[in-house]
Amino acid sequence: MITPLLVLLLLSLTADGLPAPRGRIEGVVVDGTRGNEMLVNAEVVLRAGPGNALVPIATTKTDVYGKFAFEGLSLDPTITYLPGADRDGVHYPGDRTRLDLKNRFAYVTIVAFAAVKTPSPLVAERHDIDISVQQDLMEVTETLLVKNPSRRTYVGERGDDKMQVTLRLSIPPDFDRVTFDREFYGRRFGIDDHHPVTDIPWPPGRRELRFAYRVALRNGAGVFRRTLELPCGDIHVRVHGENPEQLACNMPSERDTHSDEALFTWRGKPLPVGHTIELRVGRSPFPWIQFARWASLAAVGALAISSIAVVRYRDWQSTAKHKLSDSNISRNPTSRRAA
């Protein structure tokens, strides 16, 4: 199918009125899930435009050998071409290329993968959490190296009346102003039940995800809890800012005595999904209440024990006096009859 933009490109003429030389982009689409076998009848889309402003200008399908071709293309060196294949609702772009009078032809190989909805094959190859502690808040920056070790693209399952979620970031629900370092992620993440979620497909390989947010503190103290959404065996929590020595974490510490920051790490068997990293910052304003509660309970208990002891002591004294009196009576019969 030819679009109006392609028509304009085809109608461009040279200065002498003769048709301008044309370019050609051809290539092959292979199945990355099945050892790069040729994909037959796969849809291929060609995008083009100046710079990064690319729009679809033509579509075609691969033949019985997995090959495709786009012909009659402008040789304007300012135009960028990007062919890509669609498979199972996922678009797989090839390499960007430009054509000119010296390079009128380009060959592109596009790798497409089969899709999987469940279970999720995703793991976190590395998880870095950088926390800057200020007076009334923590500024948190996280970097996740997400890996899909399988040979299929993870697309997730669609729930009832919900988006097709592939990743849910289990950051503290009271977060504020989450931002992503790449605009692509910022556009593709939404909020569901106080957590950032996305429907981004995850093809085989690695992809770095970096984002930042803020969490409030109360009187310079609080608890940061981060639940893992992906299994990970290489986790680093780095804390710096005010009073870094007033910290406690449920991960091993690697505190550097020559640094003003604290480092907590986990290296080894991957921690499972749902494991919670807990970091206590500063001296919490609440422990004295808990201490007072326990102290009051202890005081009540001590009072009850002392009361029981006093009562028992008095009973013992009374019993002892009666026994002593009975003993004197038995020893003095005369006094007993007089009585």
Side-chain angles (χ1 to χ4, degrees), residues 2 9 24 34 44 53 60 79 81 95 124 144 151 161 163 165 173 190 192 198 224 235 238 263 268 281 292 311:
I2 298 179
L9 294 175
R24 173 186 173 94
R34 295 174 176 258
V44 184
T60 188
I79 296 176
Y81 294 101
D95 294 329
L144 275 167
R151 299 303 300 170
D161 300 326
M163 62 186 299
V165 176
D192 178 62
T198 185
F224 172 81
I235 304 174
R238 183 172 285 101
L263 178 62
V281 179
V311 171

Side-chain angles (χ1 to χ4, degrees), residues 58-262:
T59 60
T60 188
K61 289 191 175 183
T62 58
D63 60 17
V64 294
Y65 303 104
K67 296 181 179 180
F68 68 89
F70 295 101
E71 298 181 307
L73 304 177
S74 171
L75 299 179
D76 185 344
T78 65
I79 296 176
T80 298
Y81 294 101
L82 177 62
D86 293 333
R87 185 181 185 188
D88 296 336
V90 181
H91 184 74
Y92 298 90
D95 294 329
R96 295 179 180 232
T97 185
R98 292 187 177 184
L99 303 177
D100 54 37
L101 291 174
K102 294 183 179 180
N103 301 284
R104 297 172 55 186
F105 304 99
Y107 188 89
V108 180
T109 299
I110 302 173
V111 183
F113 299 90
V116 61
K117 294 183 178 180
T118 188
S120 171
L122 303 183
V123 298
E125 199 166 73
R126 182 183 174 95
H127 191 169
D128 291 335
I129 304 176
D130 187 272
I131 302 176
S132 176
V133 181
Q134 302 181 14
Q135 183 176 0
D136 294 320
L137 60 84
M138 291 182 287
E139 291 189 346
V140 184
T141 300
E142 296 195 28
T143 304
L144 275 167
L145 185 57
V146 182
K147 179 181 178 180
N148 179 355
S150 74
R151 299 303 300 170
R152 295 176 180 268
T153 297
Y154 176 58
V155 297
E157 284 189 303
R158 187 180 302 278
D160 296 338
D161 300 326
K162 290 186 177 181
M163 62 186 299
Q164 194 162 331
V165 176
T166 57
L167 185 62
R168 177 184 300 270
L169 299 177
S170 301
I171 63 178
D174 57 342
F175 74 88
D176 179 45
R177 299 178 63 179
V178 61
T179 57
F180 294 86
D181 70 329
R182 291 179 57 188
E183 183 182 356
F184 169 77
Y185 293 121
R187 295 195 311 265
R188 297 295 297 270
F189 270 87
I191 302 297
D192 178 62
D193 193 22
H194 305 288
H195 291 287
V197 298
T198 185
D199 61 352
I200 296 174
W202 298 85
R206 296 172 177 84
R207 182 184 290 175
E208 185 178 272
L209 179 64
R210 184 179 176 88
F211 55 94
Y213 56 93
R214 303 189 303 184
V215 178
L217 292 174
R218 183 176 298 178
N219 297 328
V223 180
F224 172 81
R225 293 184 177 90
R226 177 65 165 90
T227 302
L228 301 183
E229 60 277 319
L230 298 174
C232 184
D234 189 5
I235 304 174
H236 304 257
V237 179
R238 183 172 285 101
V239 189
H240 51 89
E242 300 180 3
N243 301 324
E245 70 279 358
Q246 297 179 8
L247 300 171
C249 185
N250 61 349
M251 293 201 314
S253 173
E254 292 188 9
R255 189 184 299 273
D256 186 353
T257 57
H258 302 288
S259 175
D260 60 351
E261 66 180 25

